[in-house]
Amino acid sequence: MNNDRVTIHAATTTGRATCPSCGTSSTRVHSRYVRRLDDAAVGQRRVVIELRARRFRCGQRSCSQATFVEQVKGLTFRYGRRSEQLQDALRKVALMLAGRAGSRLVDALSTPVSRSTLLRLVRSLPETSPATPRVLGIDEFALRKGHVYGTILVDVETRRPVDVLPDRTIETVRTWLANHPGVKVICRDRSASYGEAGRLGAPDAIHVADRYHLWRNLAEAVEKTVVQHRALLNVDVVKPAVAVHVQPLPPSVAEPRSTGRLPERVRERHAAVHDLLGTGTGLRTIAKQLGLARNTVRRYAHATSADELLVGRWTGRPSILDPYKPHIDQRYAEGQTNARRLFEEIQQRGYPGQEQIVRKYVHRLRLAFPRQDPPRRKPSVRDVSGWITRRPDRLDEDDAQRLKEILDRCPPLARTREHVRMFAELMNERRGRELKQWIAAVQADPIPPLHTFANGLLTDLDAVVAGLSLPYSSGVVEGHNNKIKMIKRQMFGRANFDLLRKRILHAG
């Protein structure tokens, strides 16, 4: 053992070994040699096992391998330069973190390995052949967003990925389904291509439209409806401001600074200078002892207290804002508290100063005369859409009241919210059989965006009814899509399809 390495000398002692080609057991030793294997680090030191291994002769004449090397179970493998334990650990790191991040981690564990080596470990993994799932989830993912897409297949019951396809075409998905009979339920989004591929490749399977995509499509229709009536959102939303009696603020009083490193340093130096003066020491000597300039020492000596040195030079002096303060006070009393607006108003009246001076004065007004009922922010289209599609018990009091005011002013939005509530009940209570009645009610109401949504449901009615009736959903596939995005970010542009596929299937 030295400072950075631990070397373990070992030798095999078994009397026989089995040929890896034909399985014949042999006791005839051909030769011996030393194998050097890296193992997991100990105490931040690299561990090297120098194993004296034997080469045996194969007794089977028909075997193509005349000699072979014995393997130690749990330690060695053919052509390996690492122990099995270290090889498995590196492979797991490569699956979880890929090349660069994985290389940094194992380097911190005193097992330096290049990123290319880690990626080769992933590529060497065997192909998996999982059983055909009964409930299959299908969704697309982006290999190159906007240009190249693949398809991920997930076992919805076990939540494990089954396979990854290089594209999202009908023929590719149909061929996979035809080669893997036994799929009873297909969970998918409302993509027409996946629906057609499922009907061709697994004609007996039940199609289930994903509830997440159904609700998202409905939310988009609601947002379009709100956009059509956005002129009614902000009518009388802001309550009239309550008048506040504002008196002129007193001029700033010169107050010493009391916090921070500067006041502490000034007080320490002031005390030190006056202590030395009390002993009869001259100013020149005090300056040398304290490392200060003579003029600085003179200022400390002439000041009776440290607070005199901590008062700003300009405190209490007239300001260029003084002629405009009455206007600011009046506008603030009327409800205008925005410093930027007040700055623009007095600027038109000839104010030559900077906005920051106005901001400081308005801040003093807010502290001295706080408003009891500040104006509320006007609701946006997204705010109102979210209030309509959110569960009522998850709205706070203020949002619920504002939504009620908007619905009272706009009957089409009130009817839209009622349709959304009925659809949510169908979805949550699995009452898909009542979908046709809901569609008929929507079509009877003159709300064009909801008409478009309802007509889209009719084009894939059986899958939508199944999605609102059965407990299956492809939400688990969405979770794997997020994992794929993370894996792509880790691979830094080296995400070729084969490598990405093996990481997805083996890491799960």
Side-chain angles (χ1 to χ4, degrees):
M1 181 176 70
N2 54 29
N3 291 335
D4 60 351
R5 176 180 298 188
V6 176
T7 303
I8 300 175
H9 300 276
T12 56
T13 58
T14 57
R16 63 178 63 245
T18 303
C19 177
S21 296
C22 63
T24 302
S25 179
S26 174
T27 58
R28 298 173 59 193
V29 177
H30 174 271
S31 59
R32 292 175 173 81
Y33 74 103
V34 176
R35 294 183 65 177
R36 289 178 175 81
L37 307 170
D38 284 333
D39 199 10
V42 174
Q44 299 297 316
R45 291 184 176 89
R46 180 184 176 190
V47 175
V48 177
I49 301 174
E50 292 191 354
L51 177 66
R52 188 169 180 80
R54 295 169 295 182
R55 183 179 293 276
F56 285 81
R57 296 182 185 275
C58 182
Q60 184 63 256
R61 293 183 178 274
S62 60
C63 181
S64 60
Q65 196 161 339
T67 63
F68 61 91
V69 178
E70 62 180 339
Q71 304 295 337
V72 180
K73 186 177 180 180
L75 178 64
T76 65
F77 55 94
R78 296 186 70 186
Y79 310 116
R81 302 296 299 272
R82 307 180 190 89
S83 66
E84 281 193 4
Q85 178 189 7
L86 180 59
Q87 187 83 344
D88 290 342
L90 294 178
R91 188 179 292 115
K92 291 177 181 177
V93 170
L95 283 174
M96 295 300 120
L97 298 178
R100 295 187 182 182
S103 178
R104 289 194 293 269
L105 175 62
V106 297
D107 185 62
L109 299 176
S110 300
T111 312
V113 174
S114 71
R115 58 173 180 162
S116 298
T117 298
L118 293 177
L119 295 181
R120 280 196 297 271
L121 291 177
V122 176
R123 289 191 180 96
S124 66
L125 290 170
E127 288 290 335
T128 59
S129 54
T132 301
R134 192 179 68 88
V135 183
L136 179 68
I138 303 178
D139 201 4
E140 64 183 20
F141 67 93
L143 285 167
R144 185 183 170 203
K145 194 169 184 179
H147 298 274
V148 183
Y149 286 85
T151 300
I152 182 170
L153 309 175
V154 178
D155 187 337
V156 174
E157 294 179 313
T158 63
R159 309 178 73 88
R160 298 280 301 179
V162 176
D163 206 346
V164 181
L165 307 180
D167 55 51
R168 55 179 178 180
T169 61
I170 295 177
E171 182 60 27
T172 300
V173 179
R174 182 201 69 79
T175 302
W176 192 95
L177 291 172
N179 294 336
H180 298 79
V183 176
K184 302 299 182 183
V185 179
I186 297 177
C187 298
R188 57 174 176 82
D189 58 16
R190 299 176 62 198
S191 167
S193 59
Y194 286 146
E196 182 65 18
R199 282 186 283 272
L200 294 175
D204 298 330
I206 299 173
H207 289 234
V208 176
D210 181 39
R211 290 187 290 277
Y212 165 78
H213 289 92
L214 290 173
W215 188 257
R216 188 175 70 176
N217 296 149
L218 177 60
E220 291 171 354
V222 170
E223 185 171 354
K224 292 176 182 177
T225 306
V226 175
V227 168
Q228 292 179 351
H229 301 87
R230 61 181 176 271
L232 298 175
L233 300 185
N234 300 321
V235 177
D236 296 331
V237 169
V238 180
K239 295 182 180 179
V242 179
V244 177
H245 181 63
V246 179
Q247 300 176 354
L249 292 177
S252 300
V253 180
E255 296 181 354
R257 295 176 59 180
S258 58
T259 59
R261 290 181 296 176
L262 175 62
E264 294 177 1
R265 186 167 66 245
V266 169
R267 290 189 171 90
E268 290 175 359
R269 290 177 176 178
H270 182 271
V273 169
H274 280 267
D275 288 344
L276 292 173
L277 286 174
T279 61
T281 309
L283 296 182
R284 187 187 300 273
T285 306
I286 294 175
K288 288 182 179 180
Q289 289 183 8
L290 299 181
L292 301 174
R294 233 186 322 166
N295 289 335
T296 302
V297 174
R298 185 176 291 108
R299 284 195 297 108
Y300 280 112
H302 291 166
T304 57
S305 68
D307 290 344
E308 295 180 14
L309 303 170
L310 295 172
V311 177
R313 293 176 55 193
W314 308 107
T315 306
R317 293 197 176 189
S319 169
I320 58 175
L321 186 63
D322 289 344
Y324 306 95
K325 286 181 179 179
H327 176 79
I328 296 177
D329 294 343
Q330 179 185 351
R331 296 289 289 128
Y332 184 86
E334 294 172 355
Q336 180 56 267
T337 60
N338 188 293
R340 176 68 182 179
R341 298 284 178 82
L342 292 172
F343 167 71
E344 292 174 350
E345 289 180 10
I346 64 174
Q347 196 176 37
Q348 293 175 359
R349 294 170 174 263
Y351 171 65
Q354 300 296 320
E355 181 182 352
Q356 187 63 24
I357 300 175
V358 180
R359 289 187 177 277
K360 289 181 179 179
Y361 183 72
V362 173
H363 178 67
R364 292 180 60 200
L365 286 176
R366 291 194 185 113
L367 295 178
F369 309 102
R371 304 193 64 84
Q372 299 299 323
D373 190 13
R376 297 181 296 184
R377 182 180 67 85
K378 295 181 180 180
S380 65
V381 170
R382 179 163 293 185
D383 290 334
V384 179
S385 302
W387 295 341
I388 293 176
T389 56
R390 200 176 306 164
R391 292 181 55 171
D393 57 353
R394 294 186 180 178
L395 287 175
D396 58 40
E397 264 185 54
D398 184 58
D399 291 344
Q401 179 60 31
R402 299 175 77 179
L403 176 61
K404 183 178 181 302
E405 295 171 0
I406 293 172
L407 298 183
D408 290 342
R409 290 194 302 269
C410 185
L413 289 184
R415 297 197 303 273
T416 299
R417 186 170 188 253
E418 185 62 21
H419 291 312
V420 170
R421 184 188 63 80
M422 293 175 60
F423 189 87
E425 291 179 358
L426 295 182
M427 185 172 64
N428 293 332
E429 298 174 10
R430 303 287 191 271
R431 289 156 41 194
R433 62 185 180 280
E434 301 177 13
L435 180 64
K436 289 185 178 180
Q437 291 90 322
W438 184 86
I439 293 176
V442 169
Q443 290 177 336
D445 205 344
I447 305 176
L450 290 185
H451 286 185
T452 303
F453 172 71
N455 293 335
L457 298 183
L458 289 173
T459 61
D460 199 15
L461 185 61
D462 291 340
V464 175
V465 171
L468 298 178
S469 304
L470 300 177
Y472 306 116
S473 177
S474 59
V476 61
V477 186
E478 292 294 328
H480 282 284
N481 268 340
N482 294 332
K483 292 181 182 178
I484 292 173
K485 293 177 184 177
M486 180 187 68
I487 289 174
K488 286 171 56 185
R489 286 195 298 267
Q490 291 172 347
M491 301 183 77
F492 294 96
R494 302 178 67 146
N496 63 72
F497 176 76
D498 292 334
L499 190 58
L500 184 66
R501 178 174 179 271
K502 286 194 173 181
R503 284 197 64 192
I504 294 170
L505 295 181
H506 284 274

